[in-house]
Amino acid sequence: MSGGDTRAAIARPGMAAAHGPVGPSSPEQVTLLPVQRSFFLPPFPGATPSISLAESVLKVWHEAYNSGLLPQLMAQHSLAMAQNGAVPSEATKRDQNLKRGNWGNQIEFVLTSVGYAVGLGNVWRFPYLCYRNGGGAFMFPYFIMLIFCGIPLFFMELSFGQFASQGCLGVWRISPMFKGVGYGMMVVSTYIGIYYNVVICIAFYYFFSSMTPVLPWAYCNNPWNTRDCASVLDASNLTNGSRPAALPSNLSHLLNHSLQRTSPSEEYWRLYVLKLSDDIGNFGEVRLPLLGCLGVSWVVVFLCLIRGVKSSGKVVYFTATFPYVVLTILFVRGVTLEGAFNGIMYYLTPQWDKILEAKVWGDAASQIFYSLGCAWGGLITMASYNKFHNNCYRDSVIISITNCATSVYAGFVIFSILGFMANHLGVDVSRVADHGPGLAFVAYPEALTLLPISPLWSLLFFFMLILLGLGTQFCLLETLVTAIVDEVGNEWILQKKTYVTLGVAVAGFLLGIPLTSQAGIYWLLLMDNYAASFSLVVISCIMCVAIMYIYGHRNYFQDIQMMLGFPPPLFFQICWRFVSPAIIFFILVFTVIQYQPITYNHYQYPGWAVAIGFLMALSSVLCIPLYAMFRLCRTDGDTLLQRLKNATKPSRDWGPALLEHRTGRYAPTIAPSPEDGFEVQPLHPDKAQIPIVGSNGSSRLQDSRI
């Protein structure tokens, strides 16, 4: 039969009259080309399938009709949809982006975003900032900044990505001249992804090293230890599982007052794990154990992202939740130790006079901004895989509060153990408190040696660090892959997305090799301090200005109302337009005023290394003006002002990705052209040309014969 008879036959159970024929009648049977069976089936026979799936759908229903199995197929499909929460007659439930894919369910998105926001900084930076800036008094400016800056920016990025269903490059169809902001986000994510996985690989190394009866950093009787090494454990107490004996007075005096004292955990970190060189320019040899662990960490990340969000969405059920189990175990163990209360009080006791210091407010704003992962591109990317009508407003509040509550909770875990260690040594908590790698790989591991069954607690702690790091690393890698795939946008790269992921992972591994050398820690800290510092603030500020003032706040509020069913609350409207940009500008000014040259322990970085750091920071910011000039040169217009207007106005394909969601001012009033990417071709018995359009505006035609 012909195309018309096929349509009539399929519509025969009550749908034929609504559509009519689409081609000439013919008694001949149609021969369909072999196609790959799609996982999508329309909710009822008369529903119009997506053009890109027309062949597959028609073939399935046509064969079912000819074989007399159509009633059973319809019944089974209706039952399957009912089990998935869809009503067979409700077409609006078919809210899937078949080209890019979606999260399996909304829990996967929330867990992934929690894993992205909750990272190593929640454990090794926030508790230190809290006690240094007034203890419990720091909570006041911290939560003020969360309410007025953190949650609004989080909501803006989630709604931005979800509305357009595009990554950090494709969303800038909203104002093409500012696409450099997306490239800046990619550069930042590249830098962070390179060194972040090196931190994870060191955690892997410590995790494997903890699989021994006695932790290798517990005592000073190892080949790498120096004469200045002094352990917190009594040398006579070698029985694992018993409480350490009281320290002799002469050893206690040595630990408390001698400037020459170094802990075995510090020497293990500096002399054995890193084999630290004396200068950032002296790379020395590559540490093969760290290189092997780096390979393991990249393999784990790649395998978890091998199918994009479909595979990572399943992994996060474990990686995003199990760290809380470990935190709770360590918390319960920590608060039962002698001296834990002193450590917690040191963490929480408010010093209200510090609230009047600008530095405290600057630290609070910076911690909120960097902890939530704003301007990295990851939030936009993760939200782009949401269904169009998902309530991202609710998600942004839940994820932001969860992130900050985790930071506070981690402070109890850290300071309970450090309080126990300070009590054991008879020193003030400030003598043992640290932050960054010094806390994760020196201070806390040393405190764990004082616990019975110390290898068990060490395994749990470093396994928690690995999971916290992987949750963030998943999103960093997916941000880069999604941006590349969306930018090219053709069918070939969509089918080869796994190879793109593999290519990015291999490149990240190769670029991370220098960080496993003897000078690697110097470069890691250089990238951490400069690559993702003030550049993020600049990117976020320009993004707010572009959306609120170039695109227009009224337009954006209407977009959110069309997507969510309600406009953003008045509080968020005020924050987006005035408060949040002002706070971001304050963070930028504070960062510049408080700038100090980077150091590592007593090592002062040379001028050329600091210059490289500034170049890394500028490399992401310079993407914005450079691309803007490039866009102006490529835009039509007789005058500069006309070019500027044309370059900043939304492109023709800006808006919801799926045609069914393009309503209101996005509804096509004329027949769409191939450049728009939303053309719906009529079924033709011969050949239909289907456009495949990428976020860069390039298109190609795909043949489809039905």
Side-chain angles (χ1 to χ4, degrees), residues 626-688:
L626 291 178
Y627 186 85
M629 291 187 290
F630 168 76
R631 190 74 188 190
L632 282 175
C633 295
R634 297 288 300 271
T635 303
D636 296 332
D638 297 329
T639 64
L640 179 62
L641 182 61
Q642 186 63 41
R643 286 172 176 252
L644 191 63
K645 289 181 179 180
N646 292 337
T648 54
K649 68 180 182 181
S651 61
R652 297 178 63 185
D653 52 355
W654 160 250
L658 299 184
L659 186 64
E660 63 192 89
H661 297 142
R662 297 181 72 86
T663 59
R665 59 197 176 98
Y666 293 102
T669 55
I670 59 174
S673 64
E675 291 94 10
D676 296 328
F678 301 103
E679 183 176 6
V680 180
Q681 296 280 354
L683 296 178
H684 193 277
D686 294 326
K687 212 176 206 183

Side-chain angles (χ1 to χ4, degrees), residues 593-647:
I593 293 176
Q594 294 292 326
Y595 170 76
Q596 293 180 350
I598 181 176
T599 61
Y600 177 58
N601 293 337
H602 302 294
Y603 175 75
Q604 188 78 33
Y605 279 68
W608 63 267
V610 175
I612 291 177
F614 276 111
L615 288 177
M616 284 192 291
L618 289 174
S619 62
S620 56
V621 175
L622 288 177
C623 291
I624 302 173
L626 291 178
Y627 186 85
M629 291 187 290
F630 168 76
R631 190 74 188 190
L632 282 175
C633 295
R634 297 288 300 271
T635 303
D636 296 332
D638 297 329
T639 64
L640 179 62
L641 182 61
Q642 186 63 41
R643 286 172 176 252
L644 191 63
K645 289 181 179 180
N646 292 337

Side-chain angles (χ1 to χ4, degrees), residues 8 41 84 134 156 167 294 358 380 420 464 524 575 623 641:
L41 290 175
N84 289 328
M156 173 181 282
L294 181 63
I380 295 175
F420 164 66
M464 178 189 70
L524 189 151
C575 285
C623 291
L641 182 61

Side-chain angles (χ1 to χ4, degrees), residues 474-524:
F474 290 160
C475 296
L476 291 171
L477 185 61
E478 185 62 38
T479 297
L480 299 175
V481 173
T482 298
I484 295 171
V485 172
D486 285 349
E487 181 70 3
V488 178
N490 57 39
E491 195 70 24
W492 179 86
I493 201 167
L494 286 171
Q495 296 174 353
K496 305 296 183 181
K497 185 178 179 180
T498 300
Y499 295 101
V500 178
T501 306
L502 177 61
V504 175
V506 171
F509 170 75
L510 295 176
L511 292 172
I513 291 178
L515 302 185
T516 62
S517 68
Q518 291 179 256
I521 191 65
Y522 297 125
W523 291 98
L524 189 151

Side-chain angles (χ1 to χ4, degrees), residues 186-254:
M186 285 188 65
V187 172
V188 169
S189 293
T190 301
Y191 287 141
I192 299 175
I194 291 171
Y195 78 78
Y196 211 83
N197 226 16
V198 175
V199 178
I200 298 174
C201 93
I202 298 175
F204 265 114
Y205 184 84
Y206 270 79
F207 177 77
F208 296 139
S209 299
S210 301
M211 298 178 181
T212 58
V214 178
L215 293 175
W217 57 85
Y219 300 102
C220 295
N221 57 354
N222 301 290
W224 58 84
N225 291 125
T226 65
R227 296 179 60 184
D228 297 327
C229 179
S231 173
V232 297
L233 293 173
D234 185 10
S236 63
N237 182 26
L238 296 175
T239 305
N240 188 29
S242 61
R243 178 179 173 82
L247 293 175
S249 58
N250 59 341
L251 181 57
S252 178
H253 177 78
L254 174 66

Side-chain angles (χ1 to χ4, degrees), residues 105-387:
N105 56 64
Q106 213 48 39
I107 297 178
E108 293 181 6
F109 166 69
V110 172
L111 290 178
T112 301
S113 300
V114 167
Y116 172 66
V118 177
L120 298 173
N122 298 72
V123 174
W124 73 20
R125 179 169 169 81
F126 173 81
Y128 177 82
L129 285 179
C130 190
Y131 100 81
R132 191 183 71 178
N133 289 298
F138 181 72
M139 301 291 183
F140 179 73
Y142 182 73
F143 284 105
I144 289 293
M145 292 299 175
L146 170 67
I147 293 172
F148 288 97
C149 183
I151 297 178
L153 289 177
F154 206 91
F155 180 28
M156 173 181 282
E157 292 203 25
L158 290 190
S159 59
F160 194 22
Q162 180 174 308
F163 183 78
S165 297
Q166 289 288 314
C168 61
L169 290 181
V171 291
W172 289 104
R173 296 169 178 174
I174 193 174
S175 185
M177 195 179 80
F178 290 93
K179 193 175 183 178
V181 175
Y183 284 110
M185 291 178 174
M186 285 188 65
V187 172
V188 169
S189 293
T190 301
Y191 287 141
I192 299 175
I194 291 171
Y195 78 78
Y196 211 83
N197 226 16
V198 175
V199 178
I200 298 174
C201 93
I202 298 175
F204 265 114
Y205 184 84
Y206 270 79
F207 177 77
F208 296 139
S209 299
S210 301
M211 298 178 181
T212 58
V214 178
L215 293 175
W217 57 85
Y219 300 102
C220 295
N221 57 354
N222 301 290
W224 58 84
N225 291 125
T226 65
R227 296 179 60 184
D228 297 327
C229 179
S231 173
V232 297
L233 293 173
D234 185 10
S236 63
N237 182 26
L238 296 175
T239 305
N240 188 29
S242 61
R243 178 179 173 82
L247 293 175
S249 58
N250 59 341
L251 181 57
S252 178
H253 177 78
L254 174 66
L255 293 177
N256 295 342
H257 304 289
S258 174
L259 295 177
Q260 297 298 322
R261 185 257 174 180
T262 57
S263 66
S265 61
E266 181 181 351
E267 293 195 348
Y268 180 77
W269 161 252
R270 183 167 48 89
L271 302 178
Y272 183 74
V273 177
L274 301 179
K275 288 190 176 180
L276 190 64
S277 65
D278 57 352
D279 185 71
I280 187 173
N282 182 13
F283 284 91
E285 63 180 12
V286 172
R287 298 287 295 121
L288 293 181
L290 293 182
L291 183 63
C293 291
L294 181 63
V296 170
S297 59
W298 273 113
V299 168
V300 170
V301 172
F302 168 70
L303 292 179
C304 292
L305 289 173
I306 194 169
R307 293 183 58 236
V309 296
K310 293 299 182 183
S311 55
S312 66
K314 304 300 183 291
V315 175
V316 294
Y317 280 106
F318 178 73
T319 60
T321 57
F322 193 72
Y324 291 96
V325 176
V326 178
L327 278 174
T328 303
I329 294 173
L330 293 175
F331 172 74
V332 173
R333 185 67 187 98
V335 296
T336 59
L337 298 171
E338 184 180 355
F341 181 75
N342 294 333
I344 293 175
M345 291 305 298
Y346 194 87
Y347 166 56
L348 291 179
T349 300
Q351 303 173 34
W352 295 109
D353 56 310
K354 290 199 172 185
I355 285 188
L356 301 178
E357 298 179 10
K359 185 177 186 304
V360 174
W361 289 85
D363 280 345
S366 299
Q367 177 63 16
I368 283 291
F369 186 84
Y370 297 126
S371 176
L372 290 175
C374 298
W376 291 16
L379 298 178
I380 295 175
T381 301
M382 296 302 105
S384 71
Y385 292 101
N386 279 336
K387 295 181 180 179

